[in-house]
């Protein structure tokens, strides 16, 4: 699909549609939708901004490419004056006192926020069922999960309730739901987009990223949000990616991890479809190289060891004193205990308990520091791989989306659904889900800070398979 942003921009400029009518149409669709994608609508703000865009067009003023383009925001981003709940009981009445840098850049470019989108509470989950707003339903088959944790964002894009949405990816939280709902989803290089104003889950792997129905829309939104931010010391400067630069692919060698494909856990059809894609690449003259990598269970255990430790630390501030829904106990300590026990979901409590165990005296050397050492080894492994190949291609998930309810019965199975995404998060590498190749898509991964190459190869794949 071609750029929806450019198409709508032309319709606005040529006065085929008004911005107000466009925004009202999308708001109506969001209100009526039965996929549980909406935590709160931003209708007053959206219609006010739309009327200003219409006034500029009526006065003959030039508008920017993103001006008047409706988008959605995963409900873990601050937008001043709006509810930011993280889909949790804890923050169900919390209003943002400021705006996240990435969202502010989109507002400055004229994009119009429509909705705070449903997600796994605090980003804890791989199915978007761990939420107080009801399980998000898959856009293709509503009996299946939407994927997590950015499930609401993925479904809103897939159903065209929003033109694009902003998700957050920690261990696969953009890429997996993008694959489940047949759209594009990008986890950029860690630090390319400021995390300021994104509720922290695991700070060393959290990334801000777009979901959209075309590569070009991903490129446009990525460029607007990228850049060094003095409010986030982990953010980095980056070059703008031009449309012409990604029109042709310079990729000559593609690698894939043979242990992903030879795993007993992979669905037979996903394996067959992936290998068929490899054969198509070979037919196009691209060299393909099998790579050795850490076993999936090592990747998953390393990721969850570190992610749980970081989430226990990050969420320790939520005790009902400064933030969130306070429940009074018999004394202060009891108040903390009751507030956290009653307000956090079972999945969030599972991760906090696991994280505190990892960080506790007597275990941190044996578990946490070992996890950090493994993460270093994983990064070194990637550095060696990218001396031999230009990009790495992999399935997004080893299996197809489960039925709604099944993941809640088996948390371990849910963690393993991230087996093919978490390794690239630990490496802090740019990775894009494309809705091709297998029933849950393919991932394209390049070396750190080489986001442009990922988009180049995505364009090549679009025309090749």
């Amino acid at each position: 699909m071609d750029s929806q942003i450019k198409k709508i921009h032309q319709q606005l400029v040529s006065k085929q549609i008004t911005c107000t009518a466009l925004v009202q149409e999308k708001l109506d669709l969001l209100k009526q939708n039965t996929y549980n994608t909406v935590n709160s609508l931003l209708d007053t703000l959206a219609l006010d901004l739309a009327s200003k865009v219409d006034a500029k067009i009526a006065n003959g003023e030039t508008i920017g490419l993103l001006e008047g383009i409706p988008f959605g925001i995963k409900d873990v981003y601050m937008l001043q004056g709006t509810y930011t709940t993280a889909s949790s009981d804890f923050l169900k009445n919390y209003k943002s006192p400021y705006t996240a840098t990435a969202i502010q850049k989109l507002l400055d470019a004229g994009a119009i926020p429509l909705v705070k989108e449903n997600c796994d509470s605090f980003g804890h989950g791989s199915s978007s069922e761990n939420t107080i707003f009801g399980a998000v339903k898959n856009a293709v088959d509503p009996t299946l999960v939407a994927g997590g944790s950015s499930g609401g964002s993925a479904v809103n894009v897939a159903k065209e309730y929003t033109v694009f949405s902003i998700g957050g990816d920690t261990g696969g939280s953009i890429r997996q739901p993008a694959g489940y709902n047949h759209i594009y989803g990008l986890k950029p290089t860690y630090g390319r987009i400021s995390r300021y104003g994104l509720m922290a889950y695991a700070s060393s792997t959290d990334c801000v990223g777009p979901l959209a129905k075309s590569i070009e829309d991903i490129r446009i939104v990525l460029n607007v949000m990228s850049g060094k931010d003095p409010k986030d010391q982990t953010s980095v400067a980056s070059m703008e990616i031009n449309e012409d630069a990604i029109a042709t692919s310079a990729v000559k060698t593609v690698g894939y991890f043979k242990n992903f494909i030879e795993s007993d856990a992979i669905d037979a059809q996903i394996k067959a479809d992936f290998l068929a894609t490899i054969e198509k690449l070979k037919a196009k003259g691209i060299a393909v190289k099998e790579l050795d990598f850490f076993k999936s269970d090592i990747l998953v255990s390393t990721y969850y060891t570190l992610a749980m430790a970081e989430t226990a630390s990050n969420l320790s501030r939520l005790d009902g004193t400064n933030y969130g829904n306070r429940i009074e106990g018999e004394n202060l300590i009891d108040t903390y205990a009751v507030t956290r026990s009653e307000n956090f979901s079972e999945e969030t409590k599972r991760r906090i308990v696991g994280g505190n165990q990892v960080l506790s005296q007597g275990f941190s050397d044996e578990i946490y520091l070992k996890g950090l050492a493994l993460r270093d080894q994983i990064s070194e492994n990637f550095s060696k791989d990218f001396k031999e190949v230009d990009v790495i291609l992999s399935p997004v998930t080893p299996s197809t989306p489960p039925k709604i309810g099944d993941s809640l019965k088996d948390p371990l199975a849910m963690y393993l659904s991230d087996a093919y995404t978490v390794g690239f998060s630990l490496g802090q590498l740019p990775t894009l889900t494309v809705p091709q190749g297998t029933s849950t898509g393919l991932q394209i991964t390049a070396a750190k800070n080489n986001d442009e190459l990922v988009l180049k190869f995505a364009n090549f794949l679009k025309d090749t398979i």
Side-chain angles (χ1 to χ4, degrees):
M1 176 178 282
D2 295 331
S3 167
Q4 288 296 291
I5 292 174
K6 289 182 175 176
K7 177 183 173 185
I8 292 171
H9 176 73
Q10 284 303 318
Q11 289 174 330
L12 290 171
V13 170
S14 62
K15 301 182 181 177
Q16 293 176 53
I17 59 172
T18 68
C19 190
T20 300
L22 170 68
V23 166
Q24 188 63 64
E25 178 191 359
K26 299 290 187 187
L27 288 171
D28 290 342
L29 289 170
L30 284 162
K31 282 179 188 172
Q32 296 161 11
N33 101 83
T34 57
Y35 291 82
N36 291 333
T37 63
V38 176
N39 286 4
S40 59
L41 284 178
L42 310 175
D43 38 5
T44 301
L45 171 64
L47 289 168
D48 180 53
L49 292 172
S51 67
K52 292 176 180 174
V53 173
D54 284 334
K56 285 183 72 172
I57 294 171
N59 290 334
E61 298 178 42
T62 301
I63 64 168
L65 190 56
L66 274 182
E67 274 193 271
I69 305 297
F71 74 103
I73 305 171
K74 183 179 181 179
D75 201 9
V76 289
Y77 287 94
M78 300 294 166
L79 175 59
Q80 190 172 31
T82 69
Y83 287 105
T84 303
T85 71
S87 296
S88 68
D89 272 321
F90 214 121
L91 299 176
K92 60 187 176 186
N93 296 315
Y94 179 73
K95 282 193 173 181
S96 308
Y98 63 97
T99 299
T101 296
I103 305 303
Q104 187 61 55
K105 287 187 173 186
L106 292 170
L107 294 174
D108 293 344
I112 297 180
L114 297 184
V115 56
K116 290 295 199 65
E117 296 168 320
N118 201 357
C119 57
D120 281 305
S121 180
F122 294 103
H124 299 160
S126 304
S127 64
S128 287
E129 296 172 282
N130 178 36
T131 159
I132 63 169
F133 295 98
V136 182
K137 299 175 184 176
N138 188 289
V140 181
D141 179 348
T143 67
L144 307 179
V145 303
S149 59
S150 307
S153 305
V155 173
N156 281 341
V157 169
K159 301 299 290 184
E160 300 188 7
Y161 301 151
T162 60
V163 177
F164 66 91
S165 286
I166 304 305
D169 192 307
T170 306
S173 318
I174 287 175
R175 291 164 286 156
Q176 189 233 51
Y180 279 0
N181 294 283
H182 302 179
I183 61 171
Y184 293 89
L186 174 69
K187 184 194 81 64
T189 296
Y190 178 80
R192 184 183 180 100
I193 301 174
S194 168
R195 292 181 293 112
Y196 179 74
L198 164 65
M199 285 188 189
Y201 161 20
S203 305
S204 67
T205 51
D206 285 342
C207 287
V208 180
L211 301 103
K213 297 191 85 169
S214 73
I215 300 164
E216 179 61 2
D217 287 350
I218 292 283
R219 183 192 70 82
I220 292 168
V221 177
L222 174 67
N223 278 340
V224 170
M225 294 194 296
S226 296
K228 178 72 178 171
D229 178 12
K231 296 173 182 172
D232 175 3
Q233 294 305 306
T234 63
S235 64
V236 298
S238 56
M239 297 285 288
E240 184 171 316
I241 299 174
N242 296 318
E243 182 179 2
D244 292 343
I246 64 168
T248 56
S249 172
V251 170
K252 295 180 179 176
T253 308
V254 170
Y256 73 91
F257 295 124
K258 61 184 179 184
N259 64 306
F260 279 13
I261 305 307
E262 293 171 355
S263 166
D264 293 336
I266 191 170
D267 176 89
Q269 191 60 52
I270 288 178
K271 177 178 179 177
D273 291 343
F274 180 80
L275 292 175
T277 297
I278 292 296
E279 292 305 313
K280 289 177 183 176
L281 292 177
K282 289 178 180 175
K284 286 287 183 179
I286 291 181
V288 176
K289 185 175 178 57
E290 292 182 346
L291 301 170
D292 292 318
F293 198 44
F294 294 82
K295 291 181 180 177
S296 299
D297 55 348
I298 293 177
L299 296 172
V300 171
S301 58
T302 303
Y303 168 75
Y304 276 101
T305 295
L306 300 178
M308 286 184 178
E310 292 183 29
T311 202
S313 176
N314 281 325
L315 293 188
S316 63
R317 76 192 77 175
L318 294 183
D319 56 17
T321 301
N322 293 314
Y323 309 103
N325 181 38
R326 180 184 179 96
I327 301 174
E328 296 293 342
E330 295 180 359
N331 51 50
L332 184 60
I333 293 176
D334 192 42
T335 295
Y336 290 161
V338 174
T339 294
R340 288 170 66 83
S341 178
E342 295 295 321
N343 283 318
F344 282 133
S345 69
E346 291 304 309
E347 181 57 37
T348 295
K349 284 188 279 191
R350 188 178 295 120
R351 296 185 187 208
I352 290 174
V353 170
N356 283 330
Q357 173 79 358
V358 165
L359 294 172
S360 62
Q361 189 173 15
F363 289 93
S364 61
D365 288 355
E366 188 177 344
I367 303 175
Y368 181 64
L369 296 182
K370 188 175 180 181
L372 291 177
L374 271 169
R375 182 170 67 184
D376 291 343
Q377 290 180 35
I378 290 167
S379 292
E380 289 173 15
N381 201 87
F382 279 128
S383 297
K384 291 176 185 173
D385 289 338
F386 286 117
K387 290 177 181 173
E388 299 184 34
V389 303
D390 299 313
V391 297
I392 294 170
L393 196 63
S394 57
V396 178
T397 61
S399 54
T400 54
K403 292 279 186 185
I404 288 176
D406 287 355
S407 295
L408 298 177
K409 299 173 189 171
D410 189 350
L412 179 58
M414 181 183 69
Y415 298 160
L416 291 174
S417 70
D418 297 335
Y420 292 176
T421 53
V422 293
F424 303 124
S425 294
L426 292 169
Q428 302 185 331
L429 305 174
T431 306
L432 174 72
T433 287
V434 299
Q436 296 167 274
T438 80
S439 61
T440 59
L442 295 170
Q443 284 182 109
I444 304 167
T445 304
K448 215 168 181 178
N449 300 316
N450 214 347
D451 305 61
E452 182 175 292
L453 186 62
V454 168
L455 299 183
K456 279 177 185 271
F457 193 64
N459 262 324
F460 172 78
L461 274 189
K462 181 166 63 70
D463 299 329
T464 302
I465 60 174

